[in-house]
Amino acid sequence: MPASARKLAVLPAAPVAPAPNSLPVSRPTMPRAEQVLPYLQAMDAAGWYSNFGPLLMQFEARLQARFSDGAQVVTAGNATLAIGLALKAMGLQPGARVAIPAWTFVATAHAVLWAGYRPWLIDVDPATSMLDPLATESALADAPGPVDAVIPVMAHGAPIDLDAWVLFQARTGVKVLIDAAAAFDVLDRGPLPAVVSLHATKALGVGEGGFFVSRDPVLNEAVRRMTGFGFMGDRVATIASTNAKLSEYAAAVGLAALDGWPGVRERYMRVAQRLRLALMGRPDAAFQPGWGLTWVSSVCVVDLPAGSAATLADTLAEAGVATRRWWGEGCHREPAFAEYERAAVPVTDALARSQLGVPFYSTMSDAEVDHLASSLSQALDRL
Ligand SMILES: *Cc1c(COP(=O)(O)O)cnc(C)c1O
């Protein structure tokens, strides 16, 4: 019998509100059908359903307005495709070596491979869970061969030092593409090319979708061409391409999602701050710096005592609290990437055993937040 059930058997019922008996790890926040409907009606009126129609142009313009430095947005079918297309647009030759963190979602590595390049998996900084520009620069000396590009990942949507990466690129000549898949909220400048995901589970979702953003018009045009058969205003296939367009249906959802975003963001902040308060006395459960205070994302990843993630996940599951190791054990442990080059990645190995994604959604009730906080506290006490 699990310990929690044993306690229930001997203790009288406590006079508290019933705790929610199960918390999923994620519940997407998407616009409701009635919020999308006016845009779908505009689409029907125009009779234009894909191929850079009026809704998509409006959606891109509104995404672009979020960037303070004139960076231009190019939408795509998803972020994984957009990362691959961006690498191609950046002029990498077939077989080029692309450094990526071992500590990222598998999509980063898949995108590199799918585009015809070789991932080189390297370690992240323990303080940020991200590649560090200076450490990456030193690591170049130990690379198995020339490194052509690097993809720093904004871990679970956290801010990154873009200016330091601009300097890295200038000093090393290694091209930088930012995987900002989860960083819809944070990314508001485009000094380096970046890709944001619009997947339903990310902060702003259209279902499946993503966008590329950069201040380089040549890059933007190349990515745009490659999302639409290499055509550009005509039917001439100018460069090797694919079809990665976003339809008017997706743009309709995106426009409705943008209408609701300020309110959704506020709710994410409110839920995050309640959780932070509830766990304030627990230095053994640390949030990402600034999470819920200066920026939001659709997930909550906590740093726990070394090696404790699996045990805590089991204890939390007994309390009905689902958890997820969003990045598994690290990309270096995924069978799909077993044959690719990697450096030693002790920090990634440690993070995989100390970080845990816990339930978090914009619609989380106070009782749900409190249930999560008390379950996590009890689980930590039992370690
Ligand atoms: C979600 C995510 C992706 C993939 O985004 P899709 O739009 O689902 O293809 C890539 N990289 C990271 C770090 C992600 O979190």
Side-chain angles (χ1 to χ4, degrees):
M1 194 189 323
S4 53
R6 251 189 336 264
K7 272 184 206 147
L8 279 179
V10 295
L11 291 176
V16 293
N21 51 20
S22 81
L23 290 181
V25 75
S26 140
R27 256 187 226 142
T29 303
M30 292 289 286
R32 302 175 57 82
E34 60 268 27
Q35 296 168 315
V36 183
L37 186 61
Y39 293 109
L40 293 176
Q41 287 167 331
M43 178 185 75
D44 279 342
W48 195 338
Y49 298 98
S50 189
N51 294 2
F52 315 118
L55 292 180
L56 190 76
M57 293 300 106
Q58 205 185 325
F59 182 44
E60 288 189 349
R62 283 180 62 184
L63 289 172
Q64 208 155 284
R66 296 172 48 80
F67 288 80
S68 56
D69 60 355
Q72 303 254 305
V73 162
V74 178
T75 47
N78 59 60
T80 310
L81 269 171
I83 292 170
L85 295 178
L87 292 171
K88 286 175 179 287
M90 288 159 70
L92 297 197
Q93 296 307 304
R97 184 175 284 105
V98 180
I100 63 169
W103 194 225
T104 182
F105 183 50
V106 291
T108 319
H110 278 308
V112 170
L113 278 177
W114 176 85
Y117 307 124
R118 277 194 283 177
W120 176 46
L121 305 170
I122 58 176
D123 213 359
V124 294
D125 185 273
T128 61
S129 303
M130 303 193 257
L131 292 186
D132 175 79
L134 292 178
T136 303
E137 191 172 342
S138 324
L140 291 176
D142 305 322
V147 175
D148 303 287
V150 58
I151 308 182
V153 176
M154 296 171 73
H156 307 294
I160 196 173
D161 188 347
L162 288 173
D163 299 321
W165 281 107
V166 169
L167 289 175
F168 167 96
Q169 184 173 258
R171 274 198 309 264
T172 62
V174 174
K175 291 175 175 164
V176 179
L177 171 67
I178 306 291
D179 180 343
F184 171 79
D185 183 51
V186 165
L187 195 73
D188 62 357
R189 302 193 298 132
L192 290 167
V195 171
V196 176
S197 172
L198 300 171
H199 190 265
T201 55
K202 297 286 183 359
L204 187 106
V206 304
E208 290 283 357
F211 66 87
F212 172 80
V213 59
S214 101
R215 270 192 338 222
D216 178 344
V218 177
L219 266 186
N220 295 333
E221 195 191 296
V223 174
R224 172 72 96 202
R225 268 178 209 261
M226 284 192 288
T227 64
F229 309 113
F231 296 168
M232 201 70 186
D234 51 28
R235 298 185 60 80
V236 180
T238 49
I239 42 174
S241 297
T242 188
N243 176 11
K245 300 188 298 290
L246 211 53
S247 77
E248 291 289 276
Y249 289 92
V253 178
L255 287 164
L258 283 175
D259 295 340
W261 173 247
V264 170
R265 183 178 195 275
E266 222 169 277
R267 290 204 299 278
Y268 272 129
M269 284 273 184
R270 204 191 143 275
V271 173
Q273 287 171 19
R274 185 176 179 98
L275 183 60
R276 274 182 170 278
L277 265 177
L279 288 169
M280 199 138 82
R282 302 255 23 158
D284 47 356
F287 297 94
Q288 289 186 272
W291 177 84
L293 302 174
T294 57
W295 60 279
V296 297
S297 69
S298 59
V299 296
C300 174
V301 174
V302 280
D303 255 308
L304 301 158
S308 70
T311 308
L312 289 171
D314 289 346
T315 315
L316 286 168
E318 282 173 27
V321 176
T323 57
R324 176 93 32 99
R325 298 210 254 171
W326 291 109
W327 294 347
E329 307 254 303
C331 281
H332 61 303
R333 305 237 179 221
E334 299 288 339
F337 316 125
E339 68 195 81
Y340 295 96
E341 299 159 345
R342 74 269 324 275
V345 292
V347 177
T348 297
D349 280 327
L351 291 175
R353 296 168 64 241
S354 67
Q355 288 190 347
L356 204 53
V358 297
F360 182 66
Y361 8 99
S362 69
T363 52
M364 217 165 165
S365 69
D366 288 353
E368 289 174 323
V369 174
D370 296 347
H371 178 55
L372 166 58
S374 61
S375 306
L376 184 55
S377 277
Q378 283 165 26
L380 284 162
D381 286 339
R382 277 175 51 181
L383 279 180

